[in-house]
Amino acid sequence: MEPKKNAKQSHKIIKKYQRDPSNIKIRNLEDRKLKTKLRQSEAKAKQAAYNAAQSEILLTQDEGVLEADGLERTWKFSQSLLKQNVDLNTQRKMFNLKLNDFGPYTIDYTRNGRDLLLGGRKGHLASFDWQTGKLGCELNVAETIRDVTWLHNNTMFAVAQKKYTFIYDKTGMELHCLKDHIEANKLTFLPYHFLLCSVGNAGYLKYQDTSTGQLIVEHRTKLGKCDTMAQNPYNAIINLGHSNGTVTLWSPTMSTPLVKMLCHQGPVQAISLDNSGHYMATSGLDGQLKVWDIRTYKSLHSYFTPKPASTLSFSAKGLLAVGAGSRLTVWKDIYLKKQKEPYMTHIIEGSGIQDLAFCPFEDILGAGHANGFSSLVIPGSGEPNFDTFEANPYQTVSQRQESEVHALLDKIQPDMITLDPTFIGKIDRVHTEVLKEESQKAWEANNPTEKFVPANKKRGKSSAQNRYLRKQMNVIDEKRMAIKEIVDKRAKDHEKRKKGQSTEETRTALDRFK
């Protein structure tokens, strides 16, 4: 029985990594070359799924969990109680930074979860390795800071200041002033595309390529001031929340929103998307917290918050942190079913929560508020196993440099950002008659007064030989010109013979000197 169980488990694991089966019947294909290529690609995909399933044995770490016995509830466990019952390494990760003079603070972690960036509204800016306490830089820019974000790694970060957006290096030196990004309220960075996105008071969404310095595109939302933005990690689509209660989805290739959703009856306050890219949480001034399925654009569950939630954040394992006033709540499995009570709660006394962010690969939640920064332990929130080729928390300087070069070589172009990233490479299986009917309807809609006449393509007109000959007609060659002159002269002589005229020219006595 045990071998059968193991075989079933391994089959399930392999099925998890397999691609979606294609509808192409390889046996029915006539092209042998195409048939061979498709069979080879299918064999490679099966081998990759098998290797991925076999490598799961190396993932020895399990995610944490907070369990309550009997009548106890997990949301009643405070941070002080947890600190008394965890190991010393976890205790060092639970701390508070009292920064009363320059708050409230916005925060951001690097992709490997090693470095932390703090930006105070009154100009305080600091970056440091939060686990070892090693300070990277600390300065005061002497003007308002609205948002901060790391770029591709911990060597550079962007800051949305009072008028312009600035880029600094890890020592605090100013590298660039992005004057195209005026009065930006929110910043986010797309790591696989090297794109810095901003939106601000003018209502323009702008994409800046940080590898070339080029402004890719700017979209006018036509919905006024915007201070809510989140990116979908699955397809790199930017989600914007507006004051009329709508959420719009944008890509660099379209000047109009791909999708427009009416989510709230008041202004949208916060947006967050989970790592799978299938679920979105929104909060508004109408006091509602809603969870949406992005695949169907339908609301799954709705919760009432006594105070409108000002910030939301999904963890790597699907936990949702909600900050409303000075109260912080964490919800577990919020998109699977409607929860009756939160997973954990915490109150930051006398300070409103400004920003929340889960640390990658750690069970840590960072909270930026008016009195500084707090690092809280949330068991089960972090991904226990990491891919060193994707994000390595223990990378050295040489590894960081090498990963940066590989990331630049593998950079994805902005034109490939779509709602469905699996669309690229697929075959359109629609019948030609359906396509003709759709094109006819589109033509008749654009030309209502004219009658549709199908234009049948002439066979052979654009063959390879005819295309080559058409190109050669415009080529000027000395040999060709000489032959053309001889042919034209013969044609003229032939016409003269027909008319009975002499083709020989009359000669004079002076022709001997020619």
Side-chain angles (χ1 to χ4, degrees):
M1 295 298 292
E2 290 183 359
K4 289 184 178 180
K5 287 183 179 179
N6 294 334
K8 288 182 179 179
Q9 290 177 357
S10 61
H11 180 69
K12 287 182 180 179
I13 295 172
I14 293 173
K15 193 175 181 181
K16 182 173 66 173
Y17 292 103
Q18 281 180 343
R19 292 182 182 177
D20 294 332
S22 61
N23 296 325
I24 303 172
K25 295 181 179 179
I26 299 177
R27 291 182 180 178
N28 300 336
L29 293 176
E30 297 180 358
D31 192 341
R32 292 183 179 180
K33 192 174 181 181
L34 178 61
K35 190 185 295 186
T36 305
K37 285 185 177 180
L38 289 175
R39 281 178 177 168
Q40 289 176 354
S41 65
E42 281 194 358
K44 288 181 180 178
K46 288 180 180 178
Q47 185 63 33
Y50 178 77
N51 293 340
Q54 290 295 317
S55 64
E56 274 201 359
I57 194 172
L58 301 175
L59 306 179
T60 57
Q61 300 294 329
D62 296 327
E63 61 185 86
V65 67
L66 185 63
E67 295 181 348
D69 295 333
L71 298 176
E72 293 181 342
R73 295 290 181 266
T74 56
W75 59 269
K76 291 185 178 181
F77 296 153
S78 64
Q79 290 293 312
S80 58
L81 182 61
L82 288 176
K83 194 170 184 178
Q84 297 173 7
N85 295 277
V86 295
D87 58 294
L88 293 175
N89 188 29
T90 306
Q91 288 181 11
R92 284 195 293 268
K93 297 176 183 178
M94 304 172 68
F95 59 89
N96 293 308
L97 297 178
K98 293 185 179 181
L99 307 167
N100 301 327
D101 298 330
F102 301 104
Y105 280 83
T106 56
I107 64 172
D108 189 33
Y109 289 98
T110 52
R111 291 181 63 211
N112 60 5
R114 193 72 188 180
D115 293 86
L116 173 65
L117 180 62
L118 299 177
R121 179 59 62 91
K122 297 178 183 177
H124 182 220
L125 196 60
S127 68
F128 58 97
D129 187 332
W130 66 275
Q131 296 188 20
T132 61
K134 183 181 178 182
L135 184 66
C137 70
E138 186 175 14
L139 66 152
N140 196 308
V141 298
E143 62 179 10
T144 304
I145 292 177
R146 295 191 177 94
D147 198 13
V148 294
T149 184
W150 289 103
L151 298 187
H152 54 283
N153 54 30
N154 64 341
T155 57
M156 289 191 292
F157 56 89
V159 182
Q161 296 180 200
K162 183 177 181 181
K163 188 174 182 181
Y164 299 124
T165 299
F166 293 84
I167 294 180
Y168 299 90
D169 69 352
K170 60 182 179 180
T171 62
M173 182 183 293
E174 180 184 323
L175 299 178
H176 302 286
C177 174
L178 306 179
K179 293 188 177 181
D180 293 323
H181 300 256
I182 302 174
E183 294 183 349
N185 291 329
K186 283 292 180 180
L187 300 174
T188 188
F189 183 73
L190 305 177
Y192 300 106
H193 307 78
F194 280 80
L195 292 178
L196 176 65
C197 308
S198 73
V199 68
N201 294 332
Y204 281 85
L205 173 63
K206 301 182 181 182
Y207 292 82
Q208 184 92 28
D209 192 331
T210 58
S211 62
T212 62
Q214 180 184 2
L215 182 66
I216 300 299
V217 71
E218 56 179 24
H219 296 321
R220 185 185 172 196
T221 61
K222 301 180 183 179
L223 293 172
K225 175 184 175 182
C226 180
D227 53 7
T228 304
M229 177 169 63
Q231 64 164 298
N232 191 331
Y234 173 63
N235 52 17
I237 295 293
I238 298 297
N239 295 33
L240 300 180
H242 304 280
S243 58
N244 60 354
T246 59
V247 173
T248 54
L249 278 61
W250 296 84
S251 73
T253 55
M254 294 286 291
S255 59
T256 56
L258 303 173
V259 179
K260 203 171 185 180
M261 303 169 56
L262 180 61
C263 297
H264 294 276
Q265 296 178 356
V268 179
Q269 288 290 95
I271 302 175
S272 183
L273 294 103
D274 73 327
N275 277 3
S276 66
H278 297 157
Y279 301 101
M280 176 180 70
T282 61
S283 66
L285 281 180
D286 57 355
Q288 294 290 322
L289 169 65
K290 295 184 179 181
V291 182
W292 303 81
D293 191 337
I294 295 295
R295 295 166 292 184
T296 59
Y297 307 109
K298 293 182 180 180
S299 176
L300 299 178
H301 309 293
S302 179
Y303 300 85
F304 174 75
T305 55
K307 285 186 178 181
S310 58
T311 177
L312 302 172
S313 179
F314 267 109
S315 74
K317 303 304 290 184
L319 272 64
L320 177 64
V322 182
S326 61
R327 186 178 182 85
L328 186 154
T329 56
V330 179
W331 298 81
K332 189 175 182 180
D333 299 332
I334 193 170
Y335 46 77
L336 297 180
K337 62 179 181 179
K338 189 162 184 177
Q339 302 296 323
K340 297 180 181 179
E341 57 184 21
Y343 177 59
M344 291 189 71
T345 60
H346 182 71
I347 295 177
I348 301 174
E349 297 180 356
S351 180
I353 299 173
Q354 174 72 15
D355 196 11
L356 294 174
F358 281 96
C359 181
F361 311 114
E362 295 282 350
D363 289 346
I364 297 295
L365 172 63
H369 46 84
N371 293 337
F373 171 79
S374 297
S375 181
L376 312 172
V377 168
I378 309 296
S381 62
E383 174 62 47
N385 302 289
F386 55 86
D387 184 0
T388 55
F389 289 101
E390 180 71 18
N392 185 6
Y394 307 105
Q395 68 180 1
T396 61
V397 175
S398 60
Q399 288 174 341
R400 177 184 58 76
Q401 294 171 348
E402 186 178 354
S403 64
E404 189 173 357
V405 173
H406 283 289
L408 285 169
L409 292 174
D410 297 337
K411 186 180 79 167
I412 304 174
Q413 294 301 318
D415 299 340
M416 299 183 71
I417 298 178
T418 57
L419 273 175
D420 183 13
T422 62
F423 172 77
I424 299 173
K426 284 186 177 179
I427 301 174
D428 191 1
R429 309 290 295 180
V430 181
H431 201 271
T432 54
E433 294 181 358
V434 178
L435 293 175
K436 286 182 180 179
E437 187 178 351
E438 290 178 354
S439 63
Q440 179 179 350
K441 288 181 180 178
W443 191 91
E444 290 176 350
N446 295 328
N447 305 278
T449 58
E450 300 179 15
K451 186 179 180 181
F452 178 76
V453 179
N456 297 321
K457 184 178 177 181
K458 296 180 180 179
R459 293 185 176 273
K461 184 179 180 182
S462 295
S463 64
Q465 182 181 2
N466 290 339
R467 286 199 301 269
Y468 174 76
L469 293 175
R470 284 199 299 270
K471 289 180 181 179
Q472 294 300 318
M473 288 174 64
N474 298 324
V475 177
I476 298 174
D477 189 9
E478 293 181 0
K479 187 177 180 180
R480 176 176 290 183
M481 295 298 293
I483 294 172
K484 188 177 180 181
E485 288 179 0
I486 294 171
V487 172
D488 291 343
K489 186 178 179 181
R490 288 179 179 176
K492 288 180 181 179
D493 293 345
H494 183 67
E495 290 293 331
K496 287 181 180 180
R497 288 195 197 98
K498 280 186 175 181
K499 294 178 181 180
Q501 298 178 2
S502 176
T503 58
E504 296 183 359
E505 297 180 358
T506 57
R507 297 176 61 84
T508 62
L510 298 176
D511 289 340
R512 71 182 66 180
F513 300 106
K514 288 184 179 179

